[in-house]
Amino acid sequence: MKKKIILFFNMVKPQKILKVFSIFKKEGMDGVRYHYYLIKDRVRGLNKDCMKAYDISPVTKAEGRASREEYPPMTFREYEKPIISIVIPVYNQFEYTYQCLKYIKKYEAGIPYEIIIGDDCSSDRTMELEKIVKGIQVIHNEVNHQYLNNCNRMCQEARGKYILFLNNDTQVQKNWMEALFDVMENDPSIGLSGSKMVYPNGLTQEAGGIVWRDASILQFGNGRQPDEKALNMKREADYISGASMIIRKDLWEKIGGFDKQFSPAYYEDVDLAFQVRERGYKVIYQPESEVVHFGGTTEGTKESTKRMIEKNRQKFYSKWKETLEKQHYDFSEYPRLMRENKGFPMRRAGK
């Protein structure tokens, strides 16, 4: 009890009191309890001394024209019949893209793959990326399509059996591609799978996503230690982070790609997962595939991002209202679900 009281007062420090009142006004005491448990998870993650080491390179912005020594040429092997098509949407951020490609090459598997970059009207060195990196396809858009439409455009060029979406502000880890490939190859009932996303500080960003009845989402495992048992179970998830996810190409084409009503971004990956399940396939979180995600480098201003997310949440709720009400829990049930399901909530299967 003493620890709970200390944690609660830690949550309501003077600088956070306004936030707590805001939560209470919007979500009531259920909302306060929900956020309390999320903070409890993060505090536990920060206090545990079991930090897993990841292979991470710092990303620093190059001033002016970067030297050849700073960004040496790279060459990828080109396959006549790739099995996996890695699609990477890009808008500026050459330094992130270069490191992303460097890590793909460092940890490439014996699986034939291709890389397709969608350059969405960049003004930095991304414009001449293919002069530095050989063996990849770079599509230089004539107009700025923004994230969702850029992804849909790239996928039209994909030749693989699988499409693997990857953000440019990521650094993949050993076995990331093999783990995603194996889970898809070994079970034809799986339509979509995704990686464990990790912050550069080594803590978990997301271990499969949860969608609540009101269409709000939870990045399950956020701020927790990546070696926790609950975060290392291959399992069904409500959705998979679009920062690193793989889907069967034929299924992607049947669905018709990301739903354009969620353009320019946010909730398109959540909607995709729901569409995959609607067609009878499973959505699986694969913890053996780990990807470091720097995150937040393309989101613009904080308030504009929040408004965009809320707008798309409402669109998503309208589209999937019946499914959400029948199969998904209310966020207020999170504490109980955590206890009963030993670490992660489950959807109301079959209800």
Side-chain angles (χ1 to χ4, degrees), residues 192-233:
L192 178 68
S193 184
S195 309
K196 178 196 296 177
M197 306 307 298
V198 181
Y199 287 119
N201 66 3
L203 294 176
T204 305
Q205 180 185 39
E206 184 173 312
I210 297 169
V211 181
W212 301 116
R213 190 177 296 155
D214 66 352
S216 61
I217 63 175
L218 172 65
Q219 293 179 307
F220 184 65
N222 185 272
R224 292 163 62 175
Q225 289 288 344
D227 63 351
E228 285 188 33
K229 183 178 179 180
L231 309 185
N232 287 282
M233 302 170 66

Short mmCIF file of all heavy atoms in Angstrom, two decimals, residues 192-233:
data_model
loop_
_atom_site.label_atom_id
_atom_site.label_comp_id
_atom_site.label_asym_id
_atom_site.label_seq_id
_atom_site.Cartn_x
_atom_site.Cartn_y
_atom_site.Cartn_z
N LEU A 192 -0.41 -11.14 -41.21
CA LEU A 192 0.37 -9.95 -40.88
C LEU A 192 1.16 -10.21 -39.60
O LEU A 192 0.64 -10.80 -38.66
CB LEU A 192 -0.59 -8.77 -40.66
CG LEU A 192 -0.01 -7.41 -40.25
CD1 LEU A 192 0.79 -6.80 -41.40
CD2 LEU A 192 -1.14 -6.46 -39.84
N SER A 193 2.42 -9.79 -39.60
CA SER A 193 3.25 -9.98 -38.41
C SER A 193 4.17 -8.77 -38.26
O SER A 193 4.44 -8.05 -39.22
CB SER A 193 4.09 -11.26 -38.52
OG SER A 193 4.83 -11.48 -37.33
N GLY A 194 4.63 -8.55 -37.02
CA GLY A 194 5.48 -7.38 -36.79
C GLY A 194 6.46 -7.58 -35.66
O GLY A 194 6.36 -8.53 -34.87
N SER A 195 7.41 -6.67 -35.58
CA SER A 195 8.55 -6.76 -34.67
C SER A 195 8.28 -6.15 -33.31
O SER A 195 7.33 -5.38 -33.12
CB SER A 195 9.75 -6.03 -35.29
OG SER A 195 9.99 -6.44 -36.61
N LYS A 196 9.16 -6.49 -32.37
CA LYS A 196 9.22 -5.77 -31.10
C LYS A 196 9.97 -4.47 -31.39
O LYS A 196 11.09 -4.48 -31.90
CB LYS A 196 9.98 -6.56 -30.05
CG LYS A 196 10.13 -5.83 -28.71
CD LYS A 196 11.20 -6.45 -27.83
CE LYS A 196 10.85 -7.86 -27.42
NZ LYS A 196 11.93 -8.49 -26.62
N MET A 197 9.35 -3.33 -31.06
CA MET A 197 9.96 -2.05 -31.30
C MET A 197 10.62 -1.56 -30.02
O MET A 197 10.02 -1.61 -28.93
CB MET A 197 8.92 -1.03 -31.78
CG MET A 197 8.11 -1.47 -32.99
SD MET A 197 9.11 -2.02 -34.40
CE MET A 197 10.01 -0.51 -34.78
N VAL A 198 11.86 -1.09 -30.14
CA VAL A 198 12.66 -0.71 -28.97
C VAL A 198 13.16 0.72 -29.13
O VAL A 198 13.58 1.13 -30.21
CB VAL A 198 13.86 -1.67 -28.82
CG1 VAL A 198 14.69 -1.30 -27.60
CG2 VAL A 198 13.39 -3.12 -28.73
N TYR A 199 13.10 1.50 -28.05
CA TYR A 199 13.65 2.84 -28.05
C TYR A 199 15.19 2.79 -28.06
O TYR A 199 15.78 1.79 -27.64
CB TYR A 199 13.21 3.61 -26.80
CG TYR A 199 11.78 4.05 -26.78
CD1 TYR A 199 10.91 3.59 -25.78
CD2 TYR A 199 11.28 4.95 -27.72
CE1 TYR A 199 9.58 4.01 -25.74
CE2 TYR A 199 9.96 5.37 -27.69
CZ TYR A 199 9.11 4.90 -26.69
OH TYR A 199 7.81 5.32 -26.65
N PRO A 200 15.84 3.86 -28.49
CA PRO A 200 17.31 3.89 -28.46
C PRO A 200 17.91 3.73 -27.07
O PRO A 200 19.07 3.35 -26.94
CB PRO A 200 17.64 5.27 -29.04
CG PRO A 200 16.48 5.62 -29.89
CD PRO A 200 15.29 5.05 -29.18
N ASN A 201 17.12 3.99 -26.02
CA ASN A 201 17.63 3.80 -24.65
C ASN A 201 17.53 2.35 -24.18
O ASN A 201 17.89 2.02 -23.06
CB ASN A 201 16.92 4.72 -23.67
CG ASN A 201 15.44 4.40 -23.51
OD1 ASN A 201 14.92 3.44 -24.08
ND2 ASN A 201 14.75 5.22 -22.72
N GLY A 202 17.01 1.48 -25.06
CA GLY A 202 16.95 0.06 -24.74
C GLY A 202 15.64 -0.40 -24.15
O GLY A 202 15.42 -1.61 -24.00
N LEU A 203 14.74 0.52 -23.81
CA LEU A 203 13.44 0.13 -23.28
C LEU A 203 12.46 -0.13 -24.44
O LEU A 203 12.65 0.35 -25.56
CB LEU A 203 12.89 1.22 -22.37
CG LEU A 203 13.65 1.47 -21.06
CD1 LEU A 203 13.05 2.64 -20.30
CD2 LEU A 203 13.68 0.21 -20.19
N THR A 204 11.44 -0.89 -24.15
CA THR A 204 10.47 -1.27 -25.18
C THR A 204 9.60 -0.08 -25.58
O THR A 204 9.13 0.67 -24.73
CB THR A 204 9.56 -2.40 -24.66
OG1 THR A 204 10.37 -3.50 -24.23
CG2 THR A 204 8.60 -2.88 -25.73
N GLN A 205 9.40 0.06 -26.87
CA GLN A 205 8.43 1.04 -27.36
C GLN A 205 7.07 0.38 -27.55
O GLN A 205 6.05 0.92 -27.14
CB GLN A 205 8.89 1.64 -28.70
CG GLN A 205 7.90 2.67 -29.24
CD GLN A 205 8.28 3.17 -30.62
OE1 GLN A 205 8.73 2.40 -31.46
NE2 GLN A 205 8.10 4.46 -30.85
N GLU A 206 7.07 -0.79 -28.16
CA GLU A 206 5.81 -1.48 -28.41
C GLU A 206 6.05 -2.96 -28.63
O GLU A 206 6.94 -3.36 -29.38
CB GLU A 206 5.10 -0.88 -29.62
CG GLU A 206 3.74 -1.46 -29.92
CD GLU A 206 3.02 -0.72 -31.02
OE1 GLU A 206 2.96 0.52 -30.97
OE2 GLU A 206 2.51 -1.39 -31.93
N ALA A 207 5.23 -3.78 -27.97
CA ALA A 207 5.30 -5.23 -28.12
C ALA A 207 3.93 -5.73 -28.56
O ALA A 207 3.26 -6.48 -27.87
CB ALA A 207 5.72 -5.88 -26.81
N GLY A 208 3.50 -5.29 -29.72
CA GLY A 208 2.15 -5.59 -30.18
C GLY A 208 1.19 -4.57 -29.60
O GLY A 208 1.32 -4.18 -28.45
N GLY A 209 0.23 -4.13 -30.38
CA GLY A 209 -0.67 -3.08 -29.93
C GLY A 209 -2.02 -3.58 -29.47
O GLY A 209 -2.48 -4.65 -29.90
N ILE A 210 -2.64 -2.82 -28.59
CA ILE A 210 -3.99 -3.12 -28.09
C ILE A 210 -4.93 -2.01 -28.54
O ILE A 210 -4.58 -0.83 -28.48
CB ILE A 210 -3.99 -3.21 -26.55
CG1 ILE A 210 -3.10 -4.37 -26.10
CG2 ILE A 210 -5.41 -3.38 -26.01
CD1 ILE A 210 -2.82 -4.38 -24.62
N VAL A 211 -6.11 -2.38 -28.98
CA VAL A 211 -7.13 -1.42 -29.37
C VAL A 211 -8.31 -1.56 -28.40
O VAL A 211 -8.87 -2.64 -28.25
CB VAL A 211 -7.62 -1.65 -30.81
CG1 VAL A 211 -8.67 -0.59 -31.19
CG2 VAL A 211 -6.46 -1.61 -31.79
N TRP A 212 -8.67 -0.45 -27.74
CA TRP A 212 -9.77 -0.47 -26.80
C TRP A 212 -11.09 -0.21 -27.51
O TRP A 212 -11.11 0.15 -28.70
CB TRP A 212 -9.55 0.58 -25.71
CG TRP A 212 -8.28 0.38 -24.93
CD1 TRP A 212 -7.21 1.23 -24.87
CD2 TRP A 212 -7.94 -0.74 -24.09
NE1 TRP A 212 -6.24 0.71 -24.05
CE2 TRP A 212 -6.66 -0.49 -23.55
CE3 TRP A 212 -8.61 -1.91 -23.72
CZ2 TRP A 212 -6.02 -1.37 -22.69
CZ3 TRP A 212 -7.97 -2.81 -22.86
CH2 TRP A 212 -6.70 -2.53 -22.36
N ARG A 213 -12.17 -0.38 -26.78
CA ARG A 213 -13.52 -0.30 -27.36
C ARG A 213 -13.81 1.06 -27.97
O ARG A 213 -14.57 1.19 -28.93
CB ARG A 213 -14.56 -0.62 -26.29
CG ARG A 213 -15.98 -0.80 -26.82
CD ARG A 213 -16.92 -1.18 -25.71
NE ARG A 213 -16.55 -2.47 -25.15
CZ ARG A 213 -16.84 -2.87 -23.91
NH1 ARG A 213 -17.46 -2.04 -23.09
NH2 ARG A 213 -16.50 -4.07 -23.49
N ASP A 214 -13.20 2.12 -27.44
CA ASP A 214 -13.44 3.46 -27.98
C ASP A 214 -12.49 3.81 -29.11
O ASP A 214 -12.42 4.96 -29.55
CB ASP A 214 -13.35 4.51 -26.87
CG ASP A 214 -11.94 4.62 -26.29
OD1 ASP A 214 -11.07 3.78 -26.64
OD2 ASP A 214 -11.70 5.54 -25.48
N ALA A 215 -11.73 2.79 -29.58
CA ALA A 215 -10.76 2.93 -30.68
C ALA A 215 -9.47 3.61 -30.26
O ALA A 215 -8.60 3.86 -31.10
CB ALA A 215 -11.36 3.65 -31.89
N SER A 216 -9.32 3.92 -28.98
CA SER A 216 -8.01 4.39 -28.52
C SER A 216 -7.07 3.19 -28.48
O SER A 216 -7.52 2.03 -28.43
CB SER A 216 -8.11 5.03 -27.13
OG SER A 216 -8.59 4.11 -26.17
N ILE A 217 -5.78 3.44 -28.54
CA ILE A 217 -4.82 2.34 -28.62
C ILE A 217 -3.79 2.43 -27.50
O ILE A 217 -3.58 3.48 -26.90
CB ILE A 217 -4.10 2.32 -29.99
CG1 ILE A 217 -3.29 3.59 -30.20
CG2 ILE A 217 -5.09 2.11 -31.12
CD1 ILE A 217 -2.45 3.58 -31.46
N LEU A 218 -3.17 1.28 -27.24
CA LEU A 218 -2.10 1.20 -26.26
C LEU A 218 -0.92 0.48 -26.87
O LEU A 218 -1.05 -0.62 -27.40
CB LEU A 218 -2.57 0.44 -25.01
CG LEU A 218 -1.48 0.10 -23.98
CD1 LEU A 218 -0.93 1.40 -23.36
CD2 LEU A 218 -2.01 -0.82 -22.89
N GLN A 219 0.23 1.14 -26.83
CA GLN A 219 1.47 0.47 -27.24
C GLN A 219 1.87 -0.46 -26.09
O GLN A 219 2.53 -0.04 -25.15
CB GLN A 219 2.58 1.49 -27.50
CG GLN A 219 2.33 2.39 -28.70
CD GLN A 219 3.45 3.39 -28.88
OE1 GLN A 219 3.80 4.11 -27.95
NE2 GLN A 219 4.03 3.44 -30.06
N PHE A 220 1.46 -1.71 -26.17
CA PHE A 220 1.68 -2.63 -25.07
C PHE A 220 3.19 -2.78 -24.79
O PHE A 220 3.98 -2.96 -25.71
CB PHE A 220 1.08 -4.00 -25.37
CG PHE A 220 1.20 -4.97 -24.23
CD1 PHE A 220 0.55 -4.73 -23.04
CD2 PHE A 220 1.99 -6.10 -24.35
CE1 PHE A 220 0.66 -5.61 -21.97
CE2 PHE A 220 2.12 -6.98 -23.29
CZ PHE A 220 1.46 -6.74 -22.10
N GLY A 221 3.55 -2.70 -23.52
CA GLY A 221 4.95 -2.85 -23.12
C GLY A 221 5.74 -1.56 -23.13
O GLY A 221 6.92 -1.57 -22.81
N ASN A 222 5.09 -0.45 -23.48
CA ASN A 222 5.81 0.81 -23.61
C ASN A 222 6.53 1.18 -22.31
O ASN A 222 5.93 1.24 -21.24
CB ASN A 222 4.85 1.93 -24.00
CG ASN A 222 5.54 3.25 -24.26
OD1 ASN A 222 5.76 4.04 -23.36
ND2 ASN A 222 5.91 3.47 -25.51
N GLY A 223 7.85 1.42 -22.43
CA GLY A 223 8.66 1.83 -21.30
C GLY A 223 9.13 0.70 -20.42
O GLY A 223 9.81 0.93 -19.41
N ARG A 224 8.82 -0.54 -20.80
CA ARG A 224 9.21 -1.69 -19.98
C ARG A 224 10.47 -2.35 -20.52
O ARG A 224 10.88 -2.13 -21.66
CB ARG A 224 8.06 -2.69 -19.91
CG ARG A 224 6.88 -2.16 -19.12
CD ARG A 224 5.60 -2.92 -19.37
NE ARG A 224 5.68 -4.32 -18.97
CZ ARG A 224 4.63 -5.14 -19.02
NH1 ARG A 224 3.45 -4.70 -19.43
NH2 ARG A 224 4.75 -6.41 -18.66
N GLN A 225 11.09 -3.16 -19.69
CA GLN A 225 12.31 -3.86 -20.08
C GLN A 225 12.00 -4.88 -21.18
O GLN A 225 11.02 -5.64 -21.07
CB GLN A 225 12.93 -4.56 -18.88
CG GLN A 225 13.55 -3.63 -17.86
CD GLN A 225 14.84 -3.01 -18.37
OE1 GLN A 225 15.43 -3.47 -19.34
NE2 GLN A 225 15.29 -1.95 -17.72
N PRO A 226 12.80 -4.92 -22.24
CA PRO A 226 12.49 -5.79 -23.38
C PRO A 226 12.62 -7.29 -23.09
O PRO A 226 12.15 -8.11 -23.88
CB PRO A 226 13.50 -5.35 -24.44
CG PRO A 226 14.64 -4.78 -23.67
CD PRO A 226 14.01 -4.12 -22.48
N ASP A 227 13.26 -7.66 -21.98
CA ASP A 227 13.41 -9.08 -21.69
C ASP A 227 12.31 -9.63 -20.77
O ASP A 227 12.36 -10.79 -20.36
CB ASP A 227 14.79 -9.37 -21.08
CG ASP A 227 14.99 -8.67 -19.74
OD1 ASP A 227 14.14 -7.84 -19.36
OD2 ASP A 227 16.00 -8.96 -19.07
N GLU A 228 11.30 -8.81 -20.45
CA GLU A 228 10.20 -9.31 -19.64
C GLU A 228 9.47 -10.44 -20.36
O GLU A 228 9.26 -10.38 -21.57
CB GLU A 228 9.21 -8.18 -19.34
CG GLU A 228 9.70 -7.18 -18.31
CD GLU A 228 8.59 -6.20 -17.92
OE1 GLU A 228 7.42 -6.60 -17.92
OE2 GLU A 228 8.93 -5.03 -17.64
N LYS A 229 9.07 -11.44 -19.62
CA LYS A 229 8.42 -12.62 -20.19
C LYS A 229 7.20 -12.26 -21.03
O LYS A 229 7.00 -12.78 -22.13
CB LYS A 229 8.02 -13.58 -19.07
CG LYS A 229 7.40 -14.88 -19.58
CD LYS A 229 7.06 -15.81 -18.44
CE LYS A 229 6.41 -17.09 -18.96
NZ LYS A 229 6.06 -18.03 -17.85
N ALA A 230 6.38 -11.35 -20.51
CA ALA A 230 5.14 -10.99 -21.20
C ALA A 230 5.39 -10.33 -22.55
O ALA A 230 4.52 -10.34 -23.42
CB ALA A 230 4.30 -10.06 -20.33
N LEU A 231 6.58 -9.77 -22.73
CA LEU A 231 6.91 -9.08 -23.98
C LEU A 231 7.64 -9.98 -24.96
O LEU A 231 8.00 -9.55 -26.05
CB LEU A 231 7.76 -7.84 -23.69
CG LEU A 231 7.22 -6.87 -22.63
CD1 LEU A 231 8.10 -5.63 -22.56
CD2 LEU A 231 5.78 -6.49 -22.91
N ASN A 232 7.87 -11.23 -24.57
CA ASN A 232 8.63 -12.15 -25.41
C ASN A 232 7.85 -13.40 -25.75
O ASN A 232 8.41 -14.47 -25.95
CB ASN A 232 9.95 -12.49 -24.73
CG ASN A 232 10.91 -11.33 -24.78
OD1 ASN A 232 11.53 -11.06 -25.80
ND2 ASN A 232 11.03 -10.61 -23.67
N MET A 233 6.53 -13.25 -25.81
CA MET A 233 5.64 -14.34 -26.19
C MET A 233 5.07 -14.06 -27.57
O MET A 233 4.44 -13.02 -27.78
CB MET A 233 4.51 -14.48 -25.16
CG MET A 233 5.00 -14.73 -23.75
SD MET A 233 3.67 -14.60 -22.52
CE MET A 233 2.65 -15.99 -22.98
#
